[in-house]
Amino acid sequence: MDRLVTAVGAPTCRPETKKYFIETFGCQMNVLDSERADAQLRKCGYQWTDVLEEADLILLNTCAVRERPAEKALVRISEIRRRKKPEAIIGIMGCVAQAEGRRLIDRAPDVKLIVGTQAVGHLAALVTQVERGGDAIVDVRMPNRPAFDRLAPEERRQRHVAYVTIVEGCDKFCTFCIVPFTRGRERSRSPEDILTELRALAGAGYKEVHLLGQNVNSYGLSRRIEGRRMGFADLLEMLAARSGVPRIKFTTSHPRDFDERIVRAIERWPQLCPWIHLPPQSGSDRILALMNRGYTAEEYLRKVEYIRRASRDISLTGDIIVGFPGETDEDFRQTVRLVEQVEFDGLYIFKYSPRPHTVAARWADTVPEPVKTERLMQLVEVQRGVQRRRWQRYLGREVEVLVEGRSTKSERHWAGHTPCHKVVNFESSMTNLEGLIVKVEVTKINPHSLFGRHVESRAESTV
Ligand code: SAH
Ligand code: SF4
Ligand code: F3S
């Protein structure tokens, strides 16, 4: 029998230093959860290592959103098993841990720890219990409380860009999506708490913050809110005015709750980055209704119109699912038409895969795999053409780049992102640019990145 943790006490700290290794899959929420796990593990005396063979504790932070995730996690566990120290503890966290719970232990009995998505905040206590030996520990409870921990700047892995959750969970229940089952009910965090965290980040020199939520636009709309109620556009304006963070990005925007006030806020505040990730999922009204997305293609296009009419050049990206149950050639043609009409700056295209617990998983997966692949390839080709044309507008332009580090190309090359979230690689004669926001003239357009030349200023040369 697994032990279900019922009382979580303070972690006991130990003098010796043990090492832990975390492998992270999935979205930025998981990246942030791995940082939260770092903070927890340091509390109970662990030190991070990137060498799996050295680790005393190995955590796999998993994603369940597409294609046989539990099987993938178990395959990875068997690889880890071959390489790890014999006494090392293996744990699984993230969305597969939440969705599968103790079933993972039935299939991999040497896994000693299952940490659900709402248990990361007390990981230290769970690890302390596992170290005492005995049965596996499973904590996949979902109290759905709006309990957000604030991560101090020094507890983060990245030095210049920070992720900050503003909404956890999701109440939309799109018929294809497992997230409401792995992240629970939607909870919004208090504006004061978000502001305090951003101010601390700005004070520590962070240049960019990504506000995270499965659906940031429903911030403050949900019943479960910590403290004061405020809409997303109001939150953006308040953070732009008062946080001191030079660049604020946010993801993901759901088209149903997306409104013009968000565009107005981006126009008004230079700190709010001109990038909106607004996934349509399909261009067919029939499929959108089956997906329970809550908008038609025309309503989606109307929201795109607000964005296109804005006084700033706002970059728009999206996600599409091809091969949803019942998707006909005509439905797919409508999706292609939407993609051509919108002209996304970037598009993620996925083949539908049935996910446990979801409504669509009860329907027959009618589109054969080769047809899904064919539709995916066709849409990738359409988007490639759109992107090549659209990105030409950057050629010869000066863009601002937050330098995140050296590019893999050479010592003279640096890499970072623009406010519109494009990757830029560029040449510079300067020896250390990391963490600075610099001007780069774009000289070349690659399929997925821009290339340019550093426009050096006196201020930078004195750094
Ligand atoms: N909250 C975001 C999406 C989060 S999941 C939104 O509402 O837009 C990220 C992306 O994974 C989705 O946009 C969707 O395109 C894709 N996805 C989710 N479930 C999927 C499934 N069952 N099969 C294929 N793709 C899926
Ligand atoms: Fe999933 Fe839909 Fe919620 Fe996005 S809005 S997380 S796709 S259920
Ligand atoms: Fe994956 Fe969970 Fe994120 S399913 S996409 S890690 S919320």
Side-chain angles (χ1 to χ4, degrees):
M1 260 293 282
D2 312 320
R3 278 178 290 155
L4 177 72
V5 182
T6 48
V8 178
T12 47
C13 293
R14 291 154 308 123
E16 81 275 23
T17 303
K18 293 196 175 184
K19 292 187 176 159
Y20 73 94
F21 173 93
I22 303 188
E23 204 161 80
T24 309
F25 300 89
C27 64
Q28 290 114 320
M29 296 210 170
N30 266 12
V31 174
L32 179 58
D33 280 348
S34 288
E35 288 184 317
R36 293 170 63 210
D38 288 340
Q40 287 281 319
L41 293 169
R42 273 195 297 266
K43 261 195 219 169
C44 58
Y46 276 86
Q47 216 175 54
W48 177 71
T49 173
D50 57 1
V51 183
L52 193 153
E53 289 77 2
E54 275 182 2
D56 303 285
L57 170 67
I58 298 160
L59 290 173
L60 209 58
N61 192 0
T62 54
C63 171
V65 87
R66 286 176 290 271
E67 294 164 292
R68 304 171 61 77
E71 283 64 29
K72 283 186 189 158
L74 291 167
V75 168
R76 186 63 191 133
I77 294 289
S78 60
E79 285 160 10
I80 288 172
R81 194 177 285 132
R82 281 198 298 276
R83 289 172 49 192
K84 75 177 186 73
K85 290 206 287 205
E87 67 283 9
I89 298 166
I90 305 179
I92 305 182
M93 54 188 278
C95 290
V96 175
Q98 185 66 53
E100 297 292 322
R102 51 166 301 153
R103 279 196 297 273
L104 290 168
I105 294 177
D106 297 338
R107 297 175 65 185
D110 56 345
V111 170
K112 288 291 172 212
L113 181 61
I114 301 288
V115 186
T117 54
Q118 296 190 27
V120 181
H122 50 255
L123 178 65
L126 298 176
V127 168
T128 306
Q129 295 205 31
V130 172
E131 287 173 335
R132 293 195 193 116
D135 297 330
I137 301 281
V138 179
D139 188 347
V140 291
R141 288 168 303 160
M142 285 200 140
N144 289 324
R145 274 193 298 272
F148 294 88
D149 29 88
R150 209 185 288 157
L151 211 53
E154 63 280 7
E155 290 177 319
R156 293 172 176 271
R157 286 188 198 172
Q158 298 190 66
R159 292 272 62 95
H160 317 293
V161 179
Y163 296 143
V164 172
T165 308
I166 61 163
V167 188
E168 250 292 354
C170 183
D171 286 349
K172 289 281 189 278
F173 289 95
C174 301
T175 54
F176 53 82
C177 184
I178 197 171
V179 171
F181 304 95
T182 62
R183 293 274 168 181
R185 298 287 57 75
E186 189 175 281
R187 289 96 69 201
S188 293
R189 183 175 180 188
S190 85
E192 293 76 15
D193 202 32
I194 299 169
L195 179 63
T196 306
E197 184 159 354
L198 262 62
R199 281 188 165 158
L201 289 164
Y206 279 76
K207 298 284 175 17
E208 185 171 303
V209 165
H210 291 223
L211 306 175
L212 302 185
Q214 286 303 338
N215 175 11
V216 286
N217 309 111
S218 63
Y219 175 77
L221 299 179
S222 53
R223 266 189 312 114
R224 298 168 198 84
I225 176 157
E226 227 181 21
R228 194 150 58 96
R229 194 171 284 274
M230 183 186 263
F232 182 56
D234 301 319
L235 177 77
L236 283 178
E237 301 225 17
M238 189 265 275
L239 295 175
R242 297 175 52 198
S243 71
V245 172
R247 288 177 165 201
I248 299 173
K249 295 181 178 175
F250 52 88
T251 183
T252 295
S253 295
H254 189 294
R256 195 188 319 182
D257 305 323
F258 184 84
D259 65 52
E260 217 169 342
R261 296 187 52 221
I262 295 161
V263 179
R264 299 288 89 83
I266 294 176
E267 287 181 317
R268 198 170 307 139
W269 296 94
Q271 297 87 335
L272 300 179
C273 290
W275 165 47
I276 297 172
H277 186 67
L278 193 71
Q281 310 297 357
S282 171
S284 151
D285 290 346
R286 206 178 62 81
I287 296 296
L288 286 169
L290 288 172
M291 287 175 162
N292 189 32
R293 290 292 287 183
Y295 52 86
T296 60
E298 201 188 315
E299 283 162 346
Y300 180 84
L301 290 170
R302 214 172 301 139
K303 306 224 171 181
V304 170
E305 266 307 300
Y306 307 151
I307 298 170
R308 294 292 184 231
R309 282 202 306 264
S311 56
R312 292 178 75 187
D313 175 2
I314 300 178
S315 162
L316 182 66
T317 56
D319 299 341
I320 293 277
I321 297 178
V322 296
F324 186 79
E327 186 187 70
T328 60
D329 286 343
E330 178 49 31
D331 292 317
F332 176 65
R333 267 195 292 278
Q334 290 174 10
T335 298
V336 172
R337 209 169 307 140
L338 181 107
V339 168
E340 287 170 339
Q341 246 174 303
V342 173
E343 300 200 309
F344 291 97
D345 265 32
L347 191 64
Y348 297 92
I349 307 163
F350 307 107
K351 287 193 266 185
Y352 170 74
S353 79
R355 310 299 321 117
H357 313 294
T358 61
V359 170
R362 291 186 229 135
W363 306 334
D365 189 7
T366 50
V367 181
E369 190 56 32
V371 177
K372 284 184 187 168
T373 306
E374 167 60 36
R375 288 180 184 168
L376 180 117
M377 307 286 281
Q378 196 184 325
L379 206 52
V380 165
E381 213 33 63
V382 169
Q383 177 59 22
R384 191 172 293 151
V386 166
Q387 215 159 297
R388 199 181 307 124
R389 274 197 310 281
R390 245 193 102 64
W391 284 33
Q392 288 305 317
R393 72 192 193 280
Y394 291 105
L395 202 59
R397 248 204 222 174
E398 257 182 33
V399 292
E400 281 193 347
V401 178
L402 167 57
V403 187
E404 285 149 57
R406 285 191 196 276
S407 140
T408 42
K409 258 185 137 180
S410 87
E411 284 283 295
R412 285 173 52 86
H413 289 81
W414 296 86
H417 283 87
T418 60
C420 62
H421 210 57
K422 306 246 169 353
V423 173
V424 182
N425 292 294
F426 65 96
E427 289 177 290
S428 173
S429 59
M430 294 183 54
T431 49
N432 194 7
L433 291 174
E434 201 190 307
L436 299 181
I437 294 179
V438 301
K439 286 207 164 47
V440 172
E441 184 195 333
V442 177
T443 55
K444 191 169 167 233
I445 312 287
N446 291 323
H448 300 289
S449 63
L450 303 174
F451 186 81
R453 182 183 60 79
H454 181 195
V455 182
E456 289 175 27
S457 77
R458 207 142 12 130
E460 283 153 14
S461 54
T462 57
V463 179

